[in-house]
Amino acid sequence: MSDDFDISPEDLAARAAWLSFVGEMTQDQIAQELGISRQRAQRLVARAYAEGLVKVRIEHPVAQCLELERQLRNRFGLSKARVAPGLGERGEPLRAISPYAAHEFEQIFQDPAAKIIAFGTGRTLRAVIDQMQSVDGGHHKVVSVIGNVAPDGSASFYEVIMRIADKTNAPHYPMAVPVLARNDEEFALYRSLPHVQNTIALADQADVAIMGIGQMNENAPLLLDGFITRDELDELRKAGAVGEIGGHIFDQNGHYLDHRINDRMLGVRVPINESPVLCVGGGEQKIAPLKCALKGKLITSLITDETTAIEILR
Amino acid sequence: MSDDFDISPEDLAARAAWLSFVGEMTQDQIAQELGISRQRAQRLVARAYAEGLVKVRIEHPVAQCLELERQLRNRFGLSKARVAPGLGERGEPLRAISPYAAHEFEQIFQDPAAKIIAFGTGRTLRAVIDQMQSVDGGHHKVVSVIGNVAPDGSASFYEVIMRIADKTNAPHYPMAVPVLARNDEEFALYRSLPHVQNTIALADQADVAIMGIGQMNENAPLLLDGFITRDELDELRKAGAVGEIGGHIFDQNGHYLDHRINDRMLGVRVPINESPVLCVGGGEQKIAPLKCALKGKLITSLITDETTAIEILR
DNA sequence: CCACTAAATGAGCATATGCTCATAATGGGA
DNA sequence: TCCCATTATGAGCATATGCTCATTTAGTGG
């Protein structure tokens, strides 16, 4: 059973993790089995875990969370709500939400009926997609509803279309323009580009949109990622901005803001032609935006965590 | 976040496991979070794990196993072969095979096309089904190809139809007769019962059969479970018995034995009308039966573990 | 109401784990 | 070829974990 000569490095990590989690072996046993030092075994297992080779799921609907899901659906007329058990005050909400959301995503892609699935961007969606298992979704198309170019011209770091395509083997259609045009002429120019028109046309046919949500406080993703300046942020907030979905900024009633900056967002707004909008997000800062988005019926399904759900329902 | 008053006991176990695996908390932190002692936290996590609430999957195709799968397919003309990484000499083969097989089972039930899925019995299938996640397979039917009554009249312990139905929510059709009739008259009687005829008729339409495999040595399941006596075992072995699938005994060429005991097996033989037969099994004792079953084309797909695969291919 | 059995709990301890640091190996550029 | 920077490795140690055992609690039958 001991390997005569080493193979790939990742292979060994997977094998060590397998022996650890499935075989329930101690690190000493693994080391012996693979003919390596205990130290190395420990590192291999840790690495496999860190790299996401090891997927842990808890198969049990926690009663309190089910109840919260029911309340969310009723209160806001959602077609679907999923609430992940909280990880306590100090726990990152994303860590709790990701496995739950990843499972939902997998389900969506396992649907045999071919679909056009629109995606937003952001840290949340990135984290969820990293958690997904590979599924065969080659019959679907994934399309971005938002530009994938950062203000400095680099590829937007939190673009997710490529990653979701990797996991699902689906044909992918990024929107290869900036998130935000700098003025109206630039907006018109970008919008007129053939590949943009194609992508937008495809997005317009989306059967479902999967989106994150952004807050408009001092940690606004739009600000952190350099899409708007602090002055513009202040200006938007004065105009009533509370949150944004796919870069499109809305007010406390969940209505998209009529504002020159908002008008230059190149992407497609949700909801798209009555199609369902699945929003993933949680954490203290997302509470206000989520409440407003729910109020304005911008989203039709929600995946969040326990703490956030409680606050939203308060 | 700390619970004010306790809810269900299993709920708490799931929550503790969640905090442990997803939240990566130490037991002390979990204890504090849930307002219990560290001891209790430890036990809750262990319990959740033992009860199978925690599902661990390794997402990485180990190269050596892929190669073995390829060789198995080529050598025996299998439509599908899956090889789980071995757990070393001391590891239970079942422990390695179960997660792999469970995943395959889930895939089968996630197929949207309604199917009739026939099942054998045995320790192996039991273990695999315990590992399965719940899936929505209500559009399929599961039917047993073998009786579910033990010689003492009790329900056969390793019958799996109920359990698979639990996991998949599929309508289920057990075969409510003994595995083996005691003589030809009894055989004719049982076979004539209406509910048996119904079940057999359904099984005859199966789109796929999922089976274990039994050895005919001194640890033969048929002997251990009291379906045949030691004398009968010896007699069968003298007649060339090497293994059995669904109770139907075959020889070294994978041909069903023409023998009075074999003729009294009440179930349906695989393959059923050219339908695929997925066999799950591994371990030293299964090697000979598997080789012969493969030789006789009794099975069309195989899920096994690394060590067994190597031996089969030797 | 008591006594008995079985399960749940907490303390203490042996072991497994993962982190830090010092050292060795590896690899890329001059 | 040598040198430097980066990465991999192993030893030692602090901590987390899980097991055993003694004790308590809960549940059951007399």
Side-chain angles (χ1 to χ4, degrees):
Chain A
M1 189 51 41
S2 55
D3 301 22
D4 310 326
F5 50 93
D6 294 43
I7 330 162
S8 103
E10 212 180 37
D11 225 63
L12 203 58
R15 201 175 272 272
W18 174 263
L19 294 174
S20 173
F21 288 94
V22 179
E24 287 181 9
M25 289 183 178
T26 112
Q27 294 178 352
D28 278 317
Q29 292 174 297
I30 296 169
Q32 192 175 0
E33 185 69 26
L34 298 177
I36 57 181
S37 73
R38 181 188 78 82
Q39 277 312 327
R40 187 127 184 258
Q42 195 278 339
R43 284 188 175 103
L44 284 171
V45 174
R47 183 181 149 191
Y49 197 80
E51 285 186 7
L53 293 180
V54 180
K55 297 269 161 48
V56 183
R57 297 263 160 93
I58 311 290
E59 170 117 352
H60 186 80
V62 177
Q64 154 113 6
C65 294
L66 288 181
E67 173 58 18
L68 289 168
E69 291 174 6
R70 197 188 57 76
Q71 290 182 26
L72 282 172
R73 281 197 307 272
N74 288 354
R75 177 93 73 88
F76 300 106
L78 295 175
S79 60
K80 175 170 249 177
R82 301 289 280 128
V83 175
L87 291 177
E89 298 304 330
R90 301 217 44 80
E92 274 285 334
L94 250 187
R95 187 185 279 279
I97 295 170
S98 299
Y100 263 59
H103 189 244
E104 291 298 322
F105 286 19
E106 289 161 19
Q107 300 287 9
I108 289 171
F109 278 90
Q110 270 166 4
D111 189 330
K115 281 189 301 235
I116 298 171
I117 302 166
F119 271 89
T121 57
R123 293 152 180 79
T124 304
L125 293 184
R126 257 285 293 270
V128 174
I129 291 167
D130 282 347
Q131 284 289 317
M132 282 180 70
Q133 291 183 21
S134 299
V135 296
D136 182 27
H139 50 305
H140 304 299
K141 292 177 181 171
V142 293
V143 57
S144 183
V145 296
I146 179 170
N148 68 350
V149 177
D152 63 359
S154 69
S156 171
F157 192 59
Y158 295 108
E159 219 254 355
V160 299
I161 287 293
M162 301 301 234
R163 289 167 186 273
I164 191 77
D166 276 353
K167 289 276 185 176
T168 61
N169 201 29
H172 51 293
Y173 302 85
M175 190 173 286
V177 287
V179 171
L180 182 63
R182 278 172 298 183
N183 54 53
D184 293 347
E185 293 74 44
E186 205 179 281
F187 180 88
L189 171 65
Y190 281 128
R191 278 277 182 148
S192 72
L193 297 173
H195 72 272
V196 176
Q197 295 202 332
N198 287 343
T199 303
I200 289 177
L202 193 61
D204 270 333
Q205 301 171 54
D207 296 294
V208 56
I210 297 177
M211 310 294 295
I213 189 165
Q215 64 273 26
M216 294 299 286
N217 62 11
E218 56 284 353
N219 299 317
L222 286 179
L223 176 67
L224 295 182
D225 296 345
F227 293 112
I228 60 175
T229 66
R230 177 162 287 280
D231 286 346
E232 288 173 325
L233 175 64
D234 290 340
E235 186 186 328
L236 284 161
R237 292 180 70 179
K238 280 208 192 79
V242 178
E244 48 90 11
I245 292 183
H248 302 281
I249 300 150
F250 54 81
D251 65 16
Q252 61 177 357
N253 292 315
H255 297 146
Y256 286 119
L257 223 56
D258 186 11
H259 186 282
R260 59 183 179 84
I261 293 173
N262 218 17
D263 291 341
R264 285 196 237 116
M265 289 288 169
L266 280 158
V268 175
R269 287 184 179 177
V270 296
I272 303 169
N273 303 325
E274 317 268 311
S275 290
V277 178
L278 170 59
C279 181
V280 185
E284 183 143 16
Q285 309 198 312
K286 309 278 192 185
I287 295 168
L290 277 173
K291 275 182 167 173
C292 302
L294 286 163
K295 193 173 178 186
K297 306 275 185 202
L298 295 181
I299 65 183
T300 63
S301 303
L302 175 63
I303 305 178
T304 189
D305 72 333
E306 204 173 359
T307 322
T308 310
I310 290 169
E311 287 300 322
I312 288 174
L313 288 164
R314 187 184 298 279
Chain B
M1 189 51 40
S2 56
D3 300 24
D4 310 325
F5 49 94
D6 294 45
I7 329 159
S8 104
E10 213 180 35
D11 225 62
L12 203 59
R15 200 175 272 272
W18 176 263
L19 293 174
S20 172
F21 288 93
V22 179
E24 288 181 8
M25 288 183 179
T26 116
Q27 295 177 352
D28 279 315
Q29 292 174 298
I30 296 169
Q32 192 175 1
E33 184 68 27
L34 298 178
I36 57 181
S37 72
R38 182 188 77 81
Q39 277 312 326
R40 186 125 185 258
Q42 195 277 337
R43 283 186 174 106
L44 284 171
V45 174
R47 182 180 150 192
Y49 197 80
E51 284 184 8
L53 293 181
V54 181
K55 296 269 161 45
V56 183
R57 296 262 158 93
I58 311 289
E59 169 116 352
H60 186 81
V62 177
Q64 154 111 6
C65 294
L66 289 181
E67 173 58 18
L68 288 169
E69 291 175 6
R70 197 188 58 77
Q71 289 182 28
L72 283 172
R73 281 197 306 273
N74 288 353
R75 176 92 74 89
F76 301 106
L78 295 175
S79 61
K80 175 170 249 176
R82 302 289 282 129
V83 175
L87 291 176
E89 298 304 331
R90 300 217 45 80
E92 274 286 334
L94 250 187
R95 185 186 280 277
I97 294 170
S98 299
Y100 263 58
H103 190 242
E104 291 298 322
F105 286 19
E106 289 161 19
Q107 300 287 10
I108 288 171
F109 278 90
Q110 270 165 5
D111 189 329
K115 280 189 302 232
I116 299 171
I117 302 167
F119 272 89
T121 57
R123 292 150 180 81
T124 303
L125 294 184
R126 257 285 294 269
V128 174
I129 291 167
D130 282 346
Q131 284 289 317
M132 281 180 72
Q133 292 184 19
S134 300
V135 296
D136 181 27
H139 50 306
H140 304 299
K141 292 177 181 172
V142 293
V143 57
S144 183
V145 296
I146 179 171
N148 68 350
V149 177
D152 62 0
S154 69
S156 171
F157 192 61
Y158 295 107
E159 219 253 355
V160 299
I161 286 293
M162 302 302 234
R163 290 166 183 272
I164 192 76
D166 276 352
K167 290 276 185 176
T168 61
N169 200 31
H172 50 293
Y173 303 85
M175 191 173 286
V177 287
V179 171
L180 183 64
R182 277 172 299 183
N183 53 53
D184 293 347
E185 292 74 45
E186 205 179 280
F187 180 88
L189 170 65
Y190 280 128
R191 278 279 183 146
S192 71
L193 296 173
H195 73 271
V196 176
Q197 295 201 332
N198 286 343
T199 302
I200 289 178
L202 192 63
D204 270 334
Q205 301 169 55
D207 296 295
V208 56
I210 298 177
M211 311 294 295
I213 189 165
Q215 64 272 27
M216 293 299 286
N217 61 12
E218 57 284 354
N219 299 316
L222 286 179
L223 176 67
L224 295 182
D225 296 343
F227 294 110
I228 60 176
T229 65
R230 177 161 288 279
D231 286 344
E232 287 172 325
L233 175 64
D234 291 339
E235 186 186 329
L236 283 160
R237 294 181 68 178
K238 280 208 192 79
V242 178
E244 49 90 10
I245 293 183
H248 302 281
I249 299 149
F250 54 80
D251 64 17
Q252 60 177 358
N253 293 315
H255 297 146
Y256 286 118
L257 223 58
D258 186 12
H259 186 280
R260 59 181 180 84
I261 294 172
N262 219 17
D263 292 340
R264 285 197 236 115
M265 289 287 168
L266 280 158
V268 175
R269 285 182 181 180
V270 295
I272 303 169
N273 304 323
E274 317 270 310
S275 289
V277 178
L278 169 59
C279 180
V280 185
E284 183 142 18
Q285 308 199 311
K286 310 279 192 185
I287 294 168
L290 278 173
K291 274 182 168 173
C292 302
L294 286 163
K295 193 173 179 185
K297 306 274 185 201
L298 295 180
I299 66 184
T300 63
S301 302
L302 175 63
I303 305 178
T304 189
D305 73 330
E306 203 172 1
T307 321
T308 310
I310 291 169
E311 287 301 322
I312 288 174
L313 288 163
R314 188 184 297 279

